[in-house]
Amino acid sequence: MTIREISGLVIATLLATGCTASEAVGEGGFPPGGGGGRPPVQPPPQQPTSRLLPAALVGVWNGQDSRGIGSWYLAFQADGRYRRSNERRGITITGTATVQGTVIMFSPEGGRPYSSTWAAGGGRLSIDGSVYLRADQGQGASALVGSWIDTSGNYWATLRISADGTFQLADQAGGGVAGKIVVSGRQLTLQAAGRNPVTCGWAIDNGVLRLVRPDGAVSEYVRSG
């Protein structure tokens, strides 16, 4: 048999079995199938992302509106979620935040991300120069610390809250009561020796401290120091 006849017989056999030359060799010169073939390409492992915020930032903060319309509350959670609200303006913004050094990146839901500079310490938070005071940290939240004068005509005329978590209520006739104040979110509890604790709702709106008693009575104080 001649070489030409042998070649013709090989080609006829390949055609009869339905196998092509590329299938027999494999694409790119590798044998077909899994045995000894090209190993599958594994995607690089994804690095876990963390939105954990610094402990100094986590919590609730209160700051005045630059136009004097209500007050702004900023609430940061450790996992990076935040809430920014101004009840007087009817604005509430939620989203996520990340921190790198002195830069904080806000990603509001439905809005464009933006960055700001921040610093916190001593119960004060500064974001791009705007100052917020801590409004949640147990006794003596820094947003409440100071002297207040009652403008609502109620019995107590002055209120003084100290950083150590103590308070003094006094009227012009010389009566008064002192004790401890415990802040939890938007509620505070006044605890005085020999008296039942009183829990009030509270908010600071454009420099006015508003206390709402359980019976609905409202007392308003302006800061005097």
Side-chain angles (χ1 to χ4, degrees):
M1 182 177 292
T2 64
I3 295 178
R4 179 175 295 180
E5 289 173 336
I6 293 174
S7 299
L9 180 58
V10 171
I11 294 174
T13 302
L14 292 175
L15 293 175
T17 58
C19 180
T20 64
S22 61
E23 291 173 336
V25 175
E27 296 293 339
F30 291 92
R38 184 197 300 269
V41 178
Q42 298 293 335
Q46 295 186 353
Q47 297 297 325
T49 58
S50 174
R51 290 199 179 108
L52 292 180
L53 295 180
L57 183 61
V58 174
V60 182
W61 306 84
N62 173 262
Q64 300 306 306
D65 183 82
S66 59
R67 298 181 181 179
I69 304 175
S71 298
W72 288 96
Y73 282 88
L74 270 173
F76 293 98
Q77 298 187 35
D79 62 3
R81 289 178 293 171
Y82 77 89
R83 177 186 178 92
R84 185 169 181 260
S85 61
N86 184 319
E87 294 181 0
R88 181 74 68 87
R89 286 178 175 267
I91 298 175
T92 298
I93 301 170
T94 59
T96 57
T98 55
V99 168
Q100 184 173 7
T102 59
V103 176
I104 181 169
M105 175 67 72
F106 292 97
S107 298
E109 294 180 359
R112 299 180 61 181
Y114 63 95
S115 63
S116 301
T117 58
W118 76 283
R124 295 166 63 92
L125 168 66
S126 173
I127 297 182
D128 284 344
S130 297
V131 176
Y132 299 81
L133 299 179
R134 185 171 286 282
D136 68 338
Q137 200 167 20
Q139 298 179 349
S142 58
L144 293 168
V145 172
S147 298
W148 304 84
I149 298 177
D150 188 351
T151 60
S152 54
N154 291 338
Y155 182 73
W156 297 112
T158 62
L159 169 64
R160 179 172 180 80
I161 300 174
S162 302
D164 62 0
T166 59
F167 75 91
Q168 291 180 327
L169 283 169
D171 67 356
Q172 295 176 347
V177 63
K180 289 186 175 294
I181 181 172
V182 178
V183 179
S184 177
R186 300 297 290 275
Q187 290 189 325
L188 60 82
T189 300
L190 303 175
Q191 301 173 339
R195 296 173 179 258
N196 293 327
V198 177
T199 299
C200 302
W202 74 278
I204 298 177
D205 188 349
N206 195 28
V208 176
L209 170 62
R210 183 177 293 109
L211 300 181
V212 182
R213 295 172 61 92
D215 60 3
V218 178
S219 297
E220 293 186 342
Y221 299 81
V222 295
R223 188 180 290 277
S224 62

